[in-house]
Amino acid sequence: MTLVAASKKIIQFDPKTFLSTINGGGRKIAAFSKKQTIFVQGDSSDAVFYIQKGKVKLTVVSKTGKEATIGILNEGDFFGEGCLRGQLLRMCSATAMTDCSVMRIEKKSMMEVLHREHAFSDMFVAYLLARNIRYEEDLVDQLFNSSEKRLARILLLLAHFGKEGVPETLIANISQETLAEMIGTTRSRVSFFMNRFRELGFIDYHGGNDLQIHGSLLNIVLHD
């Protein structure tokens, strides 16, 4: 099988449909309302989660009480997979940013299905590799780019720029405080750059708070 054919096979695989076929008590679908906690940093790590609908925010808190947002996940994303490698406690907290439908898959069931179903295993490994690359890019971005470039990049990522289809409109609950935590700056700096992006025509506000990202925002990221 060629790499292209293999890639298409993985893309056509529907994890939501597949996961719904897991027998026994190995999975449970739960609904979480906006701002509801899914799990807290330090909780027992014994299951993997799959987002069927909605957005989830991952945060960490330091020993001094400083909180940082390390990721915003969307429909089709997994989280909590650290338990598969022996992680006993959650290293971060997960909170619903919108009303969510989340599938909880027990560690034992997840391990069994990864060993048994090659198509699912291939998809899951590809997902983890892509996210690892994203984390590496985030680190490089944090070390070498200005806060303005970091904000532009985060907005483009949140809008799914570069993926198939039209970039989506950001939901109102992506607050400037959250954006500031993600790029490591202050809310006032985020507000300053957001106003500048709007004046330059890179973003638009709709319906009061909804945010539309335009591909032209990429100019900020590419500009030296």
Side-chain angles (χ1 to χ4, degrees), residues 188-217:
S188 61
R189 292 296 287 168
V190 168
S191 179
F192 172 81
F193 292 133
M194 293 288 281
N195 288 330
R196 181 169 182 267
F197 293 164
R198 182 168 57 175
E199 291 171 359
L200 292 171
F202 296 154
I203 63 175
D204 286 317
Y205 292 103
H206 297 291
N209 292 319
D210 288 348
L211 183 63
Q212 180 68 44
I213 306 299
H214 300 300
S216 56
L217 182 61

CSV table of all heavy atoms in Angstrom, one decimal, residues 188-217:
chain,number,residue,atom,x,y,z
A,188,SER,N,-3.6,43.3,28.4
A,188,SER,CA,-3.5,44.6,27.8
A,188,SER,C,-2.8,44.5,26.4
A,188,SER,O,-3.1,45.2,25.5
A,188,SER,CB,-2.9,45.6,28.7
A,188,SER,OG,-1.5,45.3,29.0
A,189,ARG,N,-1.7,43.7,26.4
A,189,ARG,CA,-0.9,43.6,25.1
A,189,ARG,C,-1.8,42.8,24.1
A,189,ARG,O,-1.8,43.2,22.9
A,189,ARG,CB,0.3,42.8,25.4
A,189,ARG,CG,1.4,43.5,26.2
A,189,ARG,CD,1.9,44.8,25.5
A,189,ARG,NE,2.8,44.5,24.4
A,189,ARG,CZ,3.1,45.4,23.5
A,189,ARG,NH1,2.7,46.6,23.6
A,189,ARG,NH2,4.0,45.0,22.5
A,190,VAL,N,-2.5,41.8,24.5
A,190,VAL,CA,-3.4,41.1,23.6
A,190,VAL,C,-4.5,42.1,23.0
A,190,VAL,O,-4.7,42.1,21.8
A,190,VAL,CB,-4.1,39.9,24.3
A,190,VAL,CG1,-5.2,39.4,23.4
A,190,VAL,CG2,-3.1,38.8,24.6
A,191,SER,N,-5.1,42.9,23.9
A,191,SER,CA,-6.1,43.9,23.5
A,191,SER,C,-5.5,44.9,22.4
A,191,SER,O,-6.1,45.2,21.4
A,191,SER,CB,-6.6,44.7,24.7
A,191,SER,OG,-7.5,45.6,24.3
A,192,PHE,N,-4.2,45.3,22.7
A,192,PHE,CA,-3.6,46.2,21.8
A,192,PHE,C,-3.4,45.6,20.4
A,192,PHE,O,-3.7,46.2,19.4
A,192,PHE,CB,-2.2,46.6,22.4
A,192,PHE,CG,-1.4,47.4,21.4
A,192,PHE,CD1,-1.6,48.8,21.2
A,192,PHE,CD2,-0.3,46.8,20.7
A,192,PHE,CE1,-0.8,49.5,20.4
A,192,PHE,CE2,0.4,47.6,19.8
A,192,PHE,CZ,0.2,48.9,19.6
A,193,PHE,N,-2.9,44.4,20.4
A,193,PHE,CA,-2.6,43.7,19.1
A,193,PHE,C,-3.9,43.3,18.4
A,193,PHE,O,-4.0,43.4,17.2
A,193,PHE,CB,-1.8,42.4,19.3
A,193,PHE,CG,-0.4,42.7,19.8
A,193,PHE,CD1,0.1,42.0,20.8
A,193,PHE,CD2,0.4,43.6,19.1
A,193,PHE,CE1,1.5,42.2,21.2
A,193,PHE,CE2,1.7,43.9,19.5
A,193,PHE,CZ,2.2,43.1,20.6
A,194,MET,N,-5.0,42.9,19.1
A,194,MET,CA,-6.3,42.6,18.5
A,194,MET,C,-6.8,43.8,17.8
A,194,MET,O,-7.4,43.7,16.7
A,194,MET,CB,-7.2,42.1,19.6
A,194,MET,CG,-6.8,40.7,20.2
A,194,MET,SD,-7.1,39.4,19.0
A,194,MET,CE,-8.8,39.1,19.1
A,195,ASN,N,-6.8,45.0,18.5
A,195,ASN,CA,-7.2,46.2,17.9
A,195,ASN,C,-6.4,46.6,16.6
A,195,ASN,O,-7.0,47.0,15.6
A,195,ASN,CB,-7.2,47.4,18.8
A,195,ASN,CG,-8.2,47.3,20.0
A,195,ASN,OD1,-9.3,46.7,19.7
A,195,ASN,ND2,-7.9,47.8,21.1
A,196,ARG,N,-5.1,46.3,16.7
A,196,ARG,CA,-4.3,46.6,15.5
A,196,ARG,C,-4.6,45.6,14.4
A,196,ARG,O,-4.7,46.1,13.2
A,196,ARG,CB,-2.8,46.4,15.9
A,196,ARG,CG,-1.8,46.7,14.7
A,196,ARG,CD,-0.4,46.8,15.3
A,196,ARG,NE,0.5,47.1,14.2
A,196,ARG,CZ,1.2,46.2,13.5
A,196,ARG,NH1,1.0,44.9,13.7
A,196,ARG,NH2,2.0,46.5,12.5
A,197,PHE,N,-4.8,44.3,14.7
A,197,PHE,CA,-5.2,43.4,13.6
A,197,PHE,C,-6.5,43.8,13.0
A,197,PHE,O,-6.7,43.6,11.7
A,197,PHE,CB,-5.4,42.0,14.2
A,197,PHE,CG,-4.1,41.4,14.7
A,197,PHE,CD1,-4.1,40.3,15.6
A,197,PHE,CD2,-2.8,41.9,14.4
A,197,PHE,CE1,-2.9,39.7,16.0
A,197,PHE,CE2,-1.6,41.3,14.8
A,197,PHE,CZ,-1.7,40.3,15.7
A,198,ARG,N,-7.5,44.3,13.8
A,198,ARG,CA,-8.8,44.7,13.2
A,198,ARG,C,-8.6,45.9,12.3
A,198,ARG,O,-9.2,45.9,11.2
A,198,ARG,CB,-9.8,45.0,14.3
A,198,ARG,CG,-11.1,45.3,13.8
A,198,ARG,CD,-12.2,45.4,14.9
A,198,ARG,NE,-11.8,46.2,16.0
A,198,ARG,CZ,-12.6,46.5,17.0
A,198,ARG,NH1,-13.8,45.9,17.1
A,198,ARG,NH2,-12.3,47.3,18.0
A,199,GLU,N,-7.8,46.9,12.7
A,199,GLU,CA,-7.6,48.1,11.9
A,199,GLU,C,-6.9,47.7,10.6
A,199,GLU,O,-7.2,48.4,9.5
A,199,GLU,CB,-6.7,49.0,12.7
A,199,GLU,CG,-7.4,49.7,13.9
A,199,GLU,CD,-6.4,50.5,14.7
A,199,GLU,OE1,-5.2,50.5,14.4
A,199,GLU,OE2,-6.9,51.1,15.8
A,200,LEU,N,-6.1,46.7,10.6
A,200,LEU,CA,-5.4,46.3,9.4
A,200,LEU,C,-6.3,45.3,8.5
A,200,LEU,O,-5.9,44.9,7.4
A,200,LEU,CB,-4.1,45.6,9.7
A,200,LEU,CG,-3.0,46.4,10.3
A,200,LEU,CD1,-1.8,45.6,10.8
A,200,LEU,CD2,-2.5,47.5,9.3
A,201,GLY,N,-7.4,45.0,9.0
A,201,GLY,CA,-8.3,44.1,8.2
A,201,GLY,C,-8.0,42.6,8.3
A,201,GLY,O,-8.5,41.8,7.5
A,202,PHE,N,-7.2,42.2,9.3
A,202,PHE,CA,-6.9,40.8,9.5
A,202,PHE,C,-7.9,40.0,10.2
A,202,PHE,O,-8.0,38.8,10.1
A,202,PHE,CB,-5.5,40.7,10.2
A,202,PHE,CG,-4.4,41.3,9.5
A,202,PHE,CD1,-3.2,41.7,10.1
A,202,PHE,CD2,-4.4,41.4,8.1
A,202,PHE,CE1,-2.1,42.3,9.5
A,202,PHE,CE2,-3.3,41.9,7.4
A,202,PHE,CZ,-2.2,42.4,8.1
A,203,ILE,N,-8.7,40.7,11.0
A,203,ILE,CA,-9.8,40.1,11.8
A,203,ILE,C,-11.0,41.0,11.8
A,203,ILE,O,-10.9,42.2,11.5
A,203,ILE,CB,-9.4,39.8,13.3
A,203,ILE,CG1,-9.1,41.1,14.0
A,203,ILE,CG2,-8.2,38.8,13.3
A,203,ILE,CD1,-8.8,40.8,15.5
A,204,ASP,N,-12.2,40.4,12.0
A,204,ASP,CA,-13.4,41.1,12.1
A,204,ASP,C,-14.2,40.6,13.3
A,204,ASP,O,-14.2,39.4,13.6
A,204,ASP,CB,-14.3,41.0,10.9
A,204,ASP,CG,-13.7,41.7,9.7
A,204,ASP,OD1,-13.4,42.9,9.9
A,204,ASP,OD2,-13.7,41.2,8.6
A,205,TYR,N,-14.9,41.5,14.0
A,205,TYR,CA,-15.8,41.1,15.0
A,205,TYR,C,-17.2,41.1,14.5
A,205,TYR,O,-17.7,42.0,13.8
A,205,TYR,CB,-15.8,42.1,16.2
A,205,TYR,CG,-14.5,42.1,16.9
A,205,TYR,CD1,-13.5,43.1,16.7
A,205,TYR,CD2,-14.2,41.1,17.9
A,205,TYR,CE1,-12.3,43.1,17.4
A,205,TYR,CE2,-13.0,41.1,18.6
A,205,TYR,CZ,-12.1,42.1,18.4
A,205,TYR,OH,-10.9,42.1,19.0
A,206,HIS,N,-18.0,40.0,14.8
A,206,HIS,CA,-19.3,39.9,14.3
A,206,HIS,C,-20.3,39.5,15.5
A,206,HIS,O,-19.9,38.8,16.4
A,206,HIS,CB,-19.4,38.7,13.3
A,206,HIS,CG,-18.6,39.0,12.0
A,206,HIS,ND1,-18.9,39.9,11.1
A,206,HIS,CD2,-17.5,38.4,11.6
A,206,HIS,CE1,-18.1,39.9,10.1
A,206,HIS,NE2,-17.2,39.0,10.4
A,207,GLY,N,-21.5,40.1,15.4
A,207,GLY,CA,-22.4,39.8,16.4
A,207,GLY,C,-22.0,40.1,17.8
A,207,GLY,O,-22.3,39.4,18.8
A,208,GLY,N,-21.2,41.2,18.0
A,208,GLY,CA,-20.8,41.6,19.3
A,208,GLY,C,-19.4,41.0,19.7
A,208,GLY,O,-18.4,41.7,19.8
A,209,ASN,N,-19.3,39.7,19.8
A,209,ASN,CA,-18.1,39.1,20.3
A,209,ASN,C,-17.5,38.1,19.3
A,209,ASN,O,-16.3,37.7,19.5
A,209,ASN,CB,-18.3,38.4,21.6
A,209,ASN,CG,-18.6,39.4,22.7
A,209,ASN,OD1,-18.0,40.5,22.8
A,209,ASN,ND2,-19.6,39.1,23.6
A,210,ASP,N,-18.3,37.5,18.4
A,210,ASP,CA,-17.7,36.5,17.5
A,210,ASP,C,-16.6,37.1,16.7
A,210,ASP,O,-16.6,38.2,16.3
A,210,ASP,CB,-18.8,36.0,16.6
A,210,ASP,CG,-19.8,35.1,17.3
A,210,ASP,OD1,-19.5,34.7,18.4
A,210,ASP,OD2,-20.9,34.8,16.7
A,211,LEU,N,-15.6,36.2,16.5
A,211,LEU,CA,-14.3,36.7,15.8
A,211,LEU,C,-14.1,35.9,14.6
A,211,LEU,O,-14.0,34.7,14.6
A,211,LEU,CB,-13.2,36.5,16.8
A,211,LEU,CG,-11.8,37.0,16.4
A,211,LEU,CD1,-11.8,38.5,16.2
A,211,LEU,CD2,-10.8,36.6,17.4
A,212,GLN,N,-13.9,36.7,13.4
A,212,GLN,CA,-13.6,36.0,12.2
A,212,GLN,C,-12.2,36.3,11.8
A,212,GLN,O,-11.7,37.4,11.8
A,212,GLN,CB,-14.5,36.6,11.0
A,212,GLN,CG,-14.2,36.0,9.7
A,212,GLN,CD,-14.7,34.6,9.6
A,212,GLN,OE1,-15.7,34.2,10.0
A,212,GLN,NE2,-13.9,33.7,9.0
A,213,ILE,N,-11.4,35.2,11.5
A,213,ILE,CA,-10.0,35.3,11.2
A,213,ILE,C,-9.8,35.2,9.7
A,213,ILE,O,-10.4,34.3,9.0
A,213,ILE,CB,-9.2,34.2,11.9
A,213,ILE,CG1,-9.5,34.2,13.4
A,213,ILE,CG2,-7.7,34.3,11.6
A,213,ILE,CD1,-9.1,35.4,14.1
A,214,HIS,N,-9.1,36.2,9.1
A,214,HIS,CA,-8.8,36.2,7.7
A,214,HIS,C,-7.4,35.6,7.4
A,214,HIS,O,-6.5,35.8,8.2
A,214,HIS,CB,-8.9,37.6,7.1
A,214,HIS,CG,-10.3,38.2,7.3
A,214,HIS,ND1,-11.4,37.6,6.8
A,214,HIS,CD2,-10.7,39.3,7.9
A,214,HIS,CE1,-12.5,38.3,7.1
A,214,HIS,NE2,-12.1,39.4,7.8
A,215,GLY,N,-7.2,35.0,6.3
A,215,GLY,CA,-5.9,34.4,5.9
A,215,GLY,C,-4.8,35.4,5.9
A,215,GLY,O,-3.6,35.1,6.0
A,216,SER,N,-5.2,36.7,5.6
A,216,SER,CA,-4.2,37.8,5.6
A,216,SER,C,-3.4,38.0,6.9
A,216,SER,O,-2.4,38.6,6.9
A,216,SER,CB,-4.9,39.1,5.2
A,216,SER,OG,-5.9,39.4,6.1
A,217,LEU,N,-4.0,37.4,8.0
A,217,LEU,CA,-3.3,37.5,9.3
A,217,LEU,C,-1.9,36.8,9.2
A,217,LEU,O,-1.0,37.1,10.0
A,217,LEU,CB,-4.2,36.9,10.4
A,217,LEU,CG,-3.6,37.0,11.8
A,217,LEU,CD1,-3.4,38.4,12.3
A,217,LEU,CD2,-4.6,36.3,12.8
